[in-house]
């Protein structure tokens, strides 16, 4: 490469020439995928062109895989990767027989049941990065729900994609989370979040009408929708509301809410065409009820079923595919039943949390599907540890590891001296905090026998709590919103007080109300905030705090390093580490730093893995596509690249 071209490349990448001037002596090792899951999501019963019943589902992974099983033989007849998609929440079969699959990257896929081909139809709507529910319309059309623009698209093989409402269904909202099509009227019903709305949408002219009574509009989502046929045109729309688990039964003829039902698994509801019975699961049981009558009259058909991902009535048989991948068949006439565990091929999932544990293992938590895994740096042993939901942050104290779990702000403690056994209470659930969702920031203070968790609130809310845990009594205390309308993204202990870094972001589905992140001091004896500053003007989040090699607190805010004197409560200096992208929807975490025995500091941030000279503040970019960070007892650095764990030996 000519020198002129090399200089142009360096300038384009925004990296100093000193980075390239240094000879890299470190060794990189790709340790491969570590966390695997067989979590199935969107599922549906269909028939192929010969009338053979099939059940389709999607297993999460990188990429996700579309699976099909023959309902009669229980054999796997299709296993196809869905490129650029890590999961699928729904599927719908159009009137022409094609199966449509909404990709997590905003693309729509199409498949003809019984064949081996899956077609990528491309991006549904520009700027919409996630597709949620699908519903089939008439004459081969399908409709889909999107994020973050709160829109509904239509796809037809002849017409392609179109924006049904020509913009968001509700201004200021991000999610159309659920959809249902009413064949008798041709109207669409759309569930909105993260501030609940139920919208009636005319797909021909885009006309919209709010149907959700005001008494329910304090909920987060209208999360699921199903239409159940009724007599004399009185079809019912069943709408699941969160927070909580309340299903409304809405009469589409009278336009009134007739009843509220608790704890229905609204991922799937099936009904006969005559409107006599609807089938669903609740608390592990298969139930039948007439939607025109009280849910208190529902009949229990079968126990020990599980949670339905899909339900289908085929002649006199009710088929259920559960979230645990069990295929259940129940005959309405003779009451006979059978259950078969389908073999779901496990897929690698992204590493979502990373830590060096007190047992000498590298600990990892998986994204969305949850689960954990460990890697031993000395002998290379890998261990899979299933059972917990998605870990956002973790830290150790003594022989115990403490997990901050999403959803619902849950906390668990694991004793590493004993075996991993969820049923036996190891890990043990310590509690959960209402209104809080994610704890990326976790701090261990052994000398006080305390753990501290910094929280991101639930969907559609601003303002995170500071949580303290007494590791002896297991008492959790919540201190709500130490900084109004800001959440907590980093923590450090000075020896006297806790320093807390904030983010202007809240839960998904709400825009920030403040402009810049703050650093505040928290007195653990008085349980109160004592001081607050803005360390980096205009920064949206402080995602890293640690005690630096000079004894001061080092933090990173939007790619800028700041050095803070906690005793004098002043910022001593700031240093730009890397360019930080413009704020989009939210920022909860970004930068990680660790002090190496060599005297260097290693870090990740904005997808860079870098080395930082603590004296000169010179940054050397070592790798791209990296995030998270931890270091073992021998000074080896670990980070993730999506599903893969990487090791760097300086």
């Amino acid at each position: 490469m000519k020198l002129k071209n090399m200089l142009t490349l360096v300038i384009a990448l925004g990296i100093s020439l000193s980075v390239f001037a240094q000879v890299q002596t470190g060794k990189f090792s790709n340790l491969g995928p570590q966390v695997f899951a067989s979590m199935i999501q969107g599922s549906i019963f269909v028939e192929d062109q010969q009338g053979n019943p099939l059940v389709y589902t999607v297993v999460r992974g990188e990429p996700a895989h579309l699976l099909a099983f023959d309902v009669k033989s229980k054999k796997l007849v299709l296993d196809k990767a869905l490129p650029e998609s890590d999961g699928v929440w729904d599927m719908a079969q159009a009137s022409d027989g094609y199966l449509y699959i909404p990709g997590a990257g905003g693309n729509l896929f199409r498949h003809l049941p019984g064949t081996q081909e899956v077609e990528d139809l491309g991006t549904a709507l520009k700027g919409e990065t996630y597709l949620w529910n699908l519903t089939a319309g008439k004459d081969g059309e399908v409709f889909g729900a999107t994020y973050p623009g709160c829109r509904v698209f239509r796809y037809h093989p002849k017409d392609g994609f179109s924006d049904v409402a020509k913009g968001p269904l509700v201004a200021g909202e991000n999610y159309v989370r659920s959809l249902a099509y009413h064949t008798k009227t041709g109207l669409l019903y759309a569930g909105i979040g993260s501030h609940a709305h139920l919208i009636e949408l005319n797909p021909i002219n885009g006309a919209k009408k709010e149907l959700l009574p005001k008494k329910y509009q304090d909920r987060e989502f209208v999360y699921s929708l199903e239409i159940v046929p009724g007599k004399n045109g009185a079809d019912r729309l069943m709408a699941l509301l969160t927070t909580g688990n309340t299903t409304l039964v809405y009469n589409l003829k009278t336009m009134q809410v007739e009843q509220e039902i608790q704890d229905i698994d609204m991922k799937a509801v099936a009904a006969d065409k005559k409107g006599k019975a609807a089938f669903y699961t609740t608390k592990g049981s298969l139930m039948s009820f007439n939607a025109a009558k009280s849910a208190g009259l529902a009949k229990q058909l079968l126990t020990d079923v599980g949670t339905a991902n899909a339900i289908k009535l085929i002649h006199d048989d009710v088929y259920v595919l559960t979230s645990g991948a069990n295929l259940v068949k129940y005959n309405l006439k003779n009451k006979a039943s059978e259950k078969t565990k389908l073999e779901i091929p496990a897929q690698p999932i992204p590493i979502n949390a990373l830590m060096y544990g007190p047992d000498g293992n590298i600990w990892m938590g998986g994204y969305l599907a949850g689960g954990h895994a460990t890697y031993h740096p000395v002998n290379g042993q890998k261990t899979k540890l299933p059972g917990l939901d998605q870990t956002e942050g973790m830290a150790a104290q003594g022989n115990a590891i403490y997990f901050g779990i999403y959803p619902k702000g849950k906390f668990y403690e694991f004793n590493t001296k004993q075996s991993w056994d969820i049923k036996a209470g190891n890990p043990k659930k310590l509690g959960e905090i209402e209104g809080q969702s994610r704890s990326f920031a976790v701090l261990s203070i052994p000398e006080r026998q305390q753990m501290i968790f910094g929280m991101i609130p639930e969907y559609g809310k601003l303002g995170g709590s500071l949580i303290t845990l007494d590791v002896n009594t297991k008492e959790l205390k919540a201190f709500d919103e130490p900084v109004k309308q800001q959440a907590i993204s980093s923590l450090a202990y000075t020896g006297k007080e806790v320093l807390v870094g904030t983010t202007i972001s809240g839960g998904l589905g709400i825009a920030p109300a403040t402009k810049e992140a703050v650093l505040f001091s928290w007195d653990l004896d008085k349980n109160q905030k004592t001081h607050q500053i803005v360390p980096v003007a205009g920064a949206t989040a402080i995602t890293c705090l640690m005690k630096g090699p000079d004894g001061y607190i080092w933090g990173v805010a939007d790619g800028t390093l700041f050095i803070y004197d906690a005793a004098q409560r002043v910022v001593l200096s700031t240093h730009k580490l890397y360019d930080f992208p413009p704020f989009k929807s939210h920022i909860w975490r970004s930068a990680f730093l660790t002090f190496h025995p060599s005297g260097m500091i290693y870090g990740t941030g904005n997808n860079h893995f870098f080395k930082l000279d603590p004296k000169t503040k010179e940054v050397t970019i070592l790798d791209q596509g990296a995030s998270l960070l931890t270091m073992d007892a021998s000074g080896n650095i670990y980070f993730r690249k999506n599903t893969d764990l990487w090791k760097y030996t300086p």
Side-chain angles (χ1 to χ4, degrees):
M1 181 183 291
K2 294 182 179 180
L3 179 60
K4 181 179 179 180
N5 291 338
M6 182 180 291
L7 289 172
T8 301
L9 176 61
V10 168
I11 294 170
L13 292 174
I15 302 172
S16 66
L17 282 173
S18 61
V19 172
F20 295 93
Q22 298 183 24
V23 177
Q24 301 307 320
T25 57
K27 178 184 177 182
F28 286 94
S29 302
N30 183 1
L31 304 176
Q34 303 290 317
V35 190
F36 294 80
S38 299
M39 177 184 180
I40 59 173
Q41 292 183 299
S43 305
I44 190 173
F45 287 93
V46 302
E47 292 183 352
D48 64 17
Q49 293 173 299
Q50 286 73 44
N52 300 312
L54 303 171
V55 60
Y56 280 81
T57 190
V58 171
V59 57
R60 285 202 68 86
E62 294 282 341
H65 280 237
L66 177 67
L67 310 177
F69 292 86
D70 185 289
V71 169
K72 295 178 181 178
S73 69
K74 317 300 189 295
K75 293 182 178 179
L76 181 67
V77 295
L78 176 75
D79 183 350
K80 281 285 187 179
L82 299 175
E84 306 301 322
S85 184
D86 63 357
V88 168
W89 289 93
D90 196 21
M91 286 185 272
Q93 187 175 30
S95 60
D96 60 5
Y98 275 95
L99 182 65
Y100 287 87
I101 306 105
N107 283 22
L108 184 68
F109 298 92
R110 183 172 68 170
H111 166 73
L112 187 62
T115 70
Q116 292 292 311
E117 302 303 319
V118 178
E119 180 184 2
D120 187 346
L121 299 173
T123 302
L125 294 177
K126 185 178 180 180
E128 300 305 288
T129 59
Y130 212 100
L131 307 184
W132 291 103
N133 277 100
L134 292 181
T135 189
K138 62 182 181 180
D139 301 328
E141 67 184 355
V142 290
F143 298 94
T146 78
Y147 168 91
C150 194
R151 295 157 80 184
V152 171
F153 70 85
R154 174 184 182 268
Y155 176 81
H156 190 278
K158 293 182 179 179
D159 306 329
F161 293 103
S162 60
D163 185 348
V164 176
K166 296 180 172 56
L169 265 63
V170 177
E173 295 296 337
N174 295 126
Y175 292 86
V176 177
R177 184 58 185 81
S178 51
L179 275 179
Y181 179 80
H182 193 205
T183 56
K184 293 178 182 177
T185 62
L187 294 173
L188 282 167
Y189 295 93
I192 308 299
S194 53
H195 304 90
H197 295 269
L198 176 59
I199 303 297
E200 180 186 88
L201 174 63
N202 187 321
I204 296 176
N205 58 23
K208 297 174 289 185
K209 181 193 299 183
E210 173 70 73
L211 299 183
L212 190 66
K214 288 186 178 179
K215 65 177 289 189
Y216 302 112
Q217 291 181 11
D218 62 342
R219 301 297 186 100
E220 288 180 358
F221 284 86
V222 175
Y223 203 79
S224 298
L225 292 172
E226 295 284 352
I227 293 178
V228 176
K231 294 181 179 180
N232 302 318
D235 297 341
R236 269 77 181 182
L237 177 67
M238 299 177 67
L240 173 64
L241 300 178
T242 61
T243 314
N245 188 0
T246 301
T247 296
L248 304 182
V249 178
Y250 189 91
N251 190 317
L252 292 175
K253 185 176 182 180
T254 65
M255 306 297 282
Q256 297 293 320
V257 174
E258 293 180 328
Q259 60 177 314
E260 299 178 8
I261 310 173
Q262 302 301 321
D263 299 326
I264 287 182
D265 299 326
M266 276 287 293
K267 286 183 179 179
V269 175
D272 64 8
K273 294 180 180 179
K274 295 180 180 180
K276 292 182 178 180
F279 304 94
Y280 62 91
T281 58
T282 180
K283 298 179 180 178
S285 295
L286 176 63
M287 308 292 291
S288 170
F289 91 123
N290 187 327
K293 298 179 181 180
S294 170
L297 300 174
K299 297 178 181 179
Q300 185 183 70
L301 303 179
L302 193 62
T303 60
D304 193 30
V305 174
T307 299
N309 268 24
I311 299 181
K312 181 78 170 181
L313 178 62
I314 304 177
H315 305 302
D316 293 323
D317 293 317
V318 180
Y319 286 91
V320 182
L321 177 65
T322 73
S323 59
N326 286 308
L327 180 59
V328 179
K329 175 185 176 182
Y330 176 82
N331 187 275
L332 294 171
K333 288 188 174 182
N334 61 26
K335 317 302 181 188
S337 66
E338 62 180 56
K339 181 192 289 188
T340 305
K341 180 76 171 182
L342 299 182
E343 295 296 325
I344 305 295
Q347 303 296 327
I349 60 175
I351 298 168
N352 194 57
L354 187 62
M355 184 195 74
Y356 180 62
D359 56 354
N361 282 304
I362 303 298
W363 277 78
M364 292 154 283
Y367 172 67
L368 195 61
H372 293 76
T374 62
Y375 171 83
H376 198 283
V378 178
N379 60 29
Q381 181 178 349
K382 299 179 181 181
T383 304
K384 298 177 183 178
L385 303 167
L388 289 188
D389 289 332
Q390 177 177 310
T391 289
E392 306 288 36
M394 51 186 168
Q397 189 167 140
N399 294 317
I401 297 175
Y402 295 87
F403 303 94
I405 301 287
Y406 164 88
K408 304 301 179 184
K410 298 186 287 284
F411 306 102
Y412 283 80
E413 177 189 61
F414 173 65
N415 184 345
T416 60
K417 292 297 185 180
Q418 300 175 8
S419 60
W420 180 280
D421 189 338
I422 300 290
K423 292 182 179 180
N426 193 38
K428 176 183 179 181
K429 184 178 179 180
L430 302 175
E432 58 186 83
I433 304 299
E434 185 177 355
Q436 302 299 305
S437 182
R438 309 170 191 264
S439 48
F440 293 101
V442 186
L443 174 67
S444 176
I445 310 178
E447 55 265 48
R448 294 185 63 97
Q449 296 183 307
Q450 279 186 303
M451 299 294 300
I452 315 295
F453 300 87
M455 304 302 296
I456 306 294
E458 286 287 6
Y459 290 84
K461 295 182 180 180
L462 294 170
S465 297
L466 184 72
I467 312 298
T468 63
L469 169 69
D470 185 313
V471 301
N472 293 317
T473 66
K474 313 305 180 190
E475 182 183 13
L476 287 162
K477 292 183 179 179
F479 303 95
D480 188 42
E481 214 169 348
V483 177
K484 292 295 181 183
Q485 298 181 313
Q486 294 198 358
I488 297 172
S489 48
S490 55
L491 297 164
Y493 186 57
T494 67
K496 295 182 178 180
E497 60 188 2
V498 173
L499 291 180
V500 185
T502 71
T503 171
I504 66 172
S505 301
L508 292 175
I510 189 169
T514 57
K515 299 295 184 183
E516 53 190 1
V518 304
L519 179 71
F520 68 87
S521 306
W522 185 263
D523 188 314
L524 287 169
D525 294 319
K526 298 179 180 179
N527 286 320
Q528 64 184 27
K529 184 172 62 175
T530 58
H531 186 260
Q532 178 176 309
I533 66 166
V534 175
V536 178
T540 58
I542 300 167
T543 58
C544 176
L545 290 170
M546 75 166 196
K547 185 169 286 188
D550 51 11
Y552 297 120
I553 298 297
W554 289 36
V556 181
D558 288 15
T560 295
L561 170 71
F562 64 88
I563 298 177
Y564 180 69
D565 185 334
Q568 301 299 318
R569 303 190 189 281
V570 295
V571 174
L572 301 176
S573 61
T574 60
H575 312 269
K576 182 179 177 181
L577 299 179
Y578 47 79
D579 291 326
F580 200 75
F583 181 86
K584 292 182 179 179
S585 64
H586 66 281
I587 175 170
W588 295 328
R589 65 179 177 184
S590 176
F592 293 81
L593 296 177
T594 188
F595 183 59
H596 194 266
S598 66
M600 291 291 106
I601 291 174
Y602 290 88
T604 59
N606 198 29
N607 291 319
H608 302 312
F609 172 52
F610 59 86
K611 179 172 69 175
L612 171 65
D613 188 317
K615 295 180 180 179
T616 66
K617 309 303 184 293
E618 181 183 41
V619 175
T620 304
I621 305 296
L622 301 175
D623 202 1
Q624 302 286 347
S627 57
L628 306 181
L629 193 76
T630 195
M631 181 175 65
D632 68 20
S634 299
N636 298 301
I637 308 294
Y638 299 83
F639 56 89
R640 72 155 188 197
K641 287 189 177 183
N642 203 17
T643 62
D644 292 351
L645 178 67
W646 281 72
K647 173 182 174 182
Y648 177 75
T649 304

